[in-house]
């Protein structure tokens, strides 16, 4: 690792925060940043993810690379709390924050797909909702790179001692060596056998044909050994999925990592962007065959009907929260390494007093990962899907103190623990879905992660 940059200037920020403490506000957030040279963020994440909470967010198309290490504070959602409540608690904290530097303090984290379904041992390190303020964040945005330091200060804080301790902590983080690959062991997770999952698909399709349920997404899991260190895995993801949202969240002994093709929502200065992404077809290495597959997808009655459900659901939700809503008139192809989808861009302007997480909770789960009608599909998944999805297919991303943020749907992902990885994939089922075709599609979706996890893939 490169030598840690000096944290010169941190002490005045800490002292200013201490001066702002009151009996009504006994703790004040000190958030400090300074310009920093670029680092190998993937290596830094890999070296530290087993020692402290860590998060990584990278969107290559935006030139954004964010790495959070350590924990200054964490907001965890209770079972009966709305996501907006977490954002309100965050806004209360940052309302009195002392911020020194050209940055905005930000939370990173995610949400379970279904907080109503009990967690199993597989997801024991991931609560239903967790948004973490990193102790240290390395934020690279196009031509600018900053190191951000966040810490809560109270009236009794010895600021000089705290500044020294944080400098030493950061030096230790930068000095850690890359880990070796752990030996794989057998975990306790119920995986879907092919014939059983196909029977589950058949049962779901039969119900769709005779009920008000129009679509339901069934997911399956597969366990594979991990034969590459984490920084190699993430670098492969970057190379193979350059247009995806690369994310990683390390908590205790687990790491949830993926390269999602789907944006749930992006908010900048009250302007919101999202997408409808549903309907799938394989890719071909032959250009002519690939174009033919894409043309078939654009013309597919089944896939267009499935896609239209997502567009309708997004539009209805956003109409309650946005003004000047614009929905593209027809879908286009979104081509990935192994699979292509139908995509419709959507944009609007957030209404007054509308919170990003309130919109995210309204949007989630879209029919692309849940089904339609929403509640009927969720009830079916909760009762009939033999899988704890955890954070798979839930929103993951970041949120800053000004209400800007970005969340992706956690697809094309895997949960790593103890030298093994659990891969996840789901398929949208409608009245004419074929179990064999859906199983092949789920394998295609899992291939994104499988090929970067195993040597020789």
């Amino acid at each position: 690792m490169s030598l840690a940059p000096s944290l010169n200037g941190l002490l005045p920020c800490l002292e200013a925060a201490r001066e702002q403490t009151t009996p009504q506000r006994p703790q004040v957030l000190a958030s400090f940043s300074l310009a920093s040279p670029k680092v190998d963020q993937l290596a830094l994440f890999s070296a530290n993810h087993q020692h402290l909470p860590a998060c990584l967010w990278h969107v290559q198309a935006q030139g954004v690379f964010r790495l959070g290490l350590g924990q200054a504070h964490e907001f965890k959602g209770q079972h009966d709390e709305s996501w907006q409540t977490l954002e309100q608690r965050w806004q209360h904290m940052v309302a009195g924050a002392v911020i020194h530097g050209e940055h905005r303090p930000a939370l990173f984290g995610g949400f379970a797909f279904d907080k109503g379904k009990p967690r199993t041992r597989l997801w024991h390190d991931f609560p239903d909702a967790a948004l973490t303020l990193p102790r240290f964040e390395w934020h690279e945005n196009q031509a600018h790179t900053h190191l951000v330091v966040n810490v809560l200060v109270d009236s009794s804080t010895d600021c000089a001692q705290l500044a020294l301790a944080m400098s030493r902590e950061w030096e230790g983080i930068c000095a850690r060596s890359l880990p070796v690959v752990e030996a794989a062991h057998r975990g306790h997770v119920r995986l879907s056998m092919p014939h059983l999952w196909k029977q589950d698909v058949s049962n779901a399709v039969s119900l769709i044909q005779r009920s008000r349920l129009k679509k339901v997404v069934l997911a399956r899991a597969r366990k594979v050994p991990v034969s590459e260190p984490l920084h190699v895995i993430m670098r492969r993801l970057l190379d193979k999925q350059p247009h995806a949202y690369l994310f990683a969240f390390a908590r205790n002994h687990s790491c949830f990592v993926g390269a999602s093709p789907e944006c749930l929502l992006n908010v900048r200065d009250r302007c919101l962007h999202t997408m409808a992404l549903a309907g799938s077809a394989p890719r071909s290495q032959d250009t002519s065959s690939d174009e033919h597959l894409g043309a078939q997808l654009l013309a597919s009655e089944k896939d267009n009907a499935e896609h239209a459900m997502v567009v309708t659901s997004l539009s209805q939700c956003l109409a309650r929260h946005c003004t000047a809503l614009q929905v593209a008139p027809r879908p286009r192809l979104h081509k990935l390494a192994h699979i292509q989808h139908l995509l419709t861009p959507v944009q609007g302007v957030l209404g007054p007093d509308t919170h990003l997480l309130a919109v995210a909770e309204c949007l989630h789960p879209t029919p692309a990962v849940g089904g339609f009608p929403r509640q009927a599909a969720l009830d079916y998944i909760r009762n009939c899907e033999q899988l704890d999805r955890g954070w798979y297919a839930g929103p993951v991303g970041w949120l800053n103190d000004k209400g800007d943020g970005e969340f992706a749907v956690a697809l094309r992902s895997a949960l790593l623990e103890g030298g093994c990885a659990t891969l996840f994939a789901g398929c949208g089922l409608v009245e004419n879905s074929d179990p064999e075709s859906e199983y092949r599609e789920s394998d295609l979706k899992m291939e994104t992660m499988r090929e970067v996890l195993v040597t020789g893939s």
Side-chain angles (χ1 to χ4, degrees):
M1 292 291 169
S2 60
L3 292 176
S6 169
L7 299 187
N8 291 335
L10 174 59
L11 179 58
C13 180
L14 299 179
E15 292 173 335
R18 184 177 59 186
E19 291 173 4
Q20 294 297 317
T21 61
T22 66
Q24 294 73 33
R25 190 179 290 275
Q27 287 189 315
V28 171
L29 171 62
S31 188
F32 166 79
S33 71
L34 72 167
S36 173
K38 293 184 179 182
V39 296
D40 186 339
Q41 299 204 40
L42 299 182
L44 199 58
F45 180 93
S46 184
N48 287 278
H49 81 284
Q50 295 175 335
H51 300 274
L52 69 174
C55 53
L56 185 140
W57 179 264
H58 177 50
V59 187
Q60 189 164 299
Q62 301 172 7
V64 172
F65 214 143
R66 309 185 74 156
L67 168 67
L69 296 169
Q71 179 180 302
H73 189 76
E74 183 167 78
F75 297 92
K76 289 184 180 179
Q78 303 301 316
H79 180 73
D80 57 349
E81 274 188 322
S82 70
W83 296 356
Q84 181 175 324
T85 301
L86 295 181
E87 187 168 354
Q88 290 170 338
R89 287 159 57 191
W90 165 235
Q91 290 298 331
H92 176 74
M93 173 183 284
V94 294
V98 173
I99 302 173
H100 288 188
E102 299 179 4
H103 73 284
R104 306 309 323 169
L107 303 177
F108 298 83
F111 301 84
F113 173 80
D114 180 7
K115 65 181 180 181
K117 188 164 186 175
R119 298 282 74 79
T120 64
R121 183 194 174 280
L122 177 65
W123 289 95
H124 62 96
D125 289 328
F126 289 79
D128 288 338
L131 294 172
T132 302
L133 176 66
R135 198 163 173 87
F136 302 97
E137 183 199 345
W138 217 306
H139 185 182
E140 182 179 327
N141 191 349
Q142 296 175 342
H144 305 286
T145 304
H146 289 88
L147 173 63
V148 181
V149 181
N150 299 302
V151 63
L152 290 171
V153 173
D154 60 38
S155 59
S156 64
T157 297
D158 184 332
C159 294
Q161 187 63 35
L162 178 58
L164 179 60
M166 295 195 72
S167 294
R168 288 174 175 170
E169 183 179 352
W170 181 241
E171 289 172 358
I173 285 173
C174 291
R176 283 199 176 105
S177 301
L178 290 169
V180 297
V181 180
E182 297 182 60
H185 66 75
R186 297 186 65 85
H188 298 85
V189 54
R190 181 176 180 179
L191 304 183
S192 52
M193 300 262 186
H195 69 286
L196 294 178
W197 192 79
K198 292 173 189 177
Q199 184 59 54
D200 288 342
V201 170
S202 181
N203 294 340
V205 171
S206 177
L207 179 65
I208 291 170
Q209 291 170 345
R210 66 178 193 273
S211 73
R212 62 185 292 268
L213 187 61
K214 302 297 183 185
K215 175 187 176 180
V216 66
V217 178
L218 284 189
R220 51 181 283 255
R222 174 188 176 191
K223 181 157 283 193
V224 299
V226 177
S227 57
E228 297 289 2
L230 188 54
H231 61 285
V232 173
I233 292 168
M234 293 191 293
R235 204 174 307 281
R236 283 182 171 182
L237 277 176
L238 275 181
D239 292 340
K240 293 177 179 292
Q241 306 293 330
H243 304 296
Y245 296 87
L246 179 69
F247 63 86
F249 295 91
R251 301 178 61 88
N252 297 324
H253 303 293
S254 306
C255 184
F256 183 47
V257 59
S260 175
E262 183 171 352
C263 172
L264 182 67
L265 79 169
N266 176 306
V267 174
R268 296 287 192 284
D269 298 323
R270 312 294 295 171
C271 294
L272 179 146
H273 296 266
T274 184
M275 62 171 68
L277 192 74
S280 307
R283 298 292 309 276
S284 172
Q285 293 183 347
D286 177 72
T287 302
S288 177
S289 297
D290 192 61
E291 290 177 353
H292 179 67
L293 289 167
Q296 283 185 317
L297 178 59
L298 286 170
S300 168
E301 182 177 344
K302 169 187 175 293
D303 290 288
N304 274 278
E306 182 183 345
H307 187 83
M309 292 181 198
V310 181
V311 174
T312 299
S313 177
L314 288 179
S315 300
Q316 290 175 346
C317 169
L318 294 177
R320 300 196 295 270
H321 294 283
C322 294
T323 61
L325 190 63
Q326 296 180 354
V327 182
R330 62 185 62 85
R332 58 178 172 82
L333 291 177
H334 184 54
K335 292 180 177 285
L336 304 170
H338 303 288
I339 197 168
Q340 51 193 322
H341 301 286
L342 296 178
L343 184 152
T344 296
V346 181
Q347 59 186 10
V349 178
L350 290 184
D353 302 319
T354 299
H355 294 273
L356 181 152
L357 289 184
V359 182
E361 190 164 25
C362 178
L363 290 171
H364 175 77
T366 71
V369 293
F372 187 85
R374 175 188 289 182
Q375 194 56 52
L378 279 177
D379 289 343
Y380 188 88
I381 293 168
R382 190 176 295 166
N383 295 324
C384 300
E385 184 177 83
Q386 303 299 317
L387 177 67
D388 174 14
R389 295 192 186 189
W391 282 22
Y392 163 69
V396 294
W398 63 271
L399 168 73
N400 73 13
D401 64 321
K402 296 300 183 183
D404 291 346
E406 187 164 37
F407 282 80
V409 183
L411 305 174
R412 311 301 190 268
S413 52
L415 182 65
L416 280 59
E417 182 181 12
C420 284
T422 304
L423 313 184
F424 303 91
C427 293
L429 310 179
V430 292
E431 62 179 356
N432 55 348
S433 292
D434 171 64
E436 288 292 339
S437 297
E438 301 298 342
Y439 189 82
R440 288 195 298 271
E441 180 181 317
S442 68
D443 266 350
L444 275 176
K445 292 174 177 176
M446 286 185 178
E447 187 64 17
T448 297
M449 289 303 303
R450 193 198 67 81
E451 70 175 2
V452 304
L453 290 166
V454 181
T455 302
S457 296

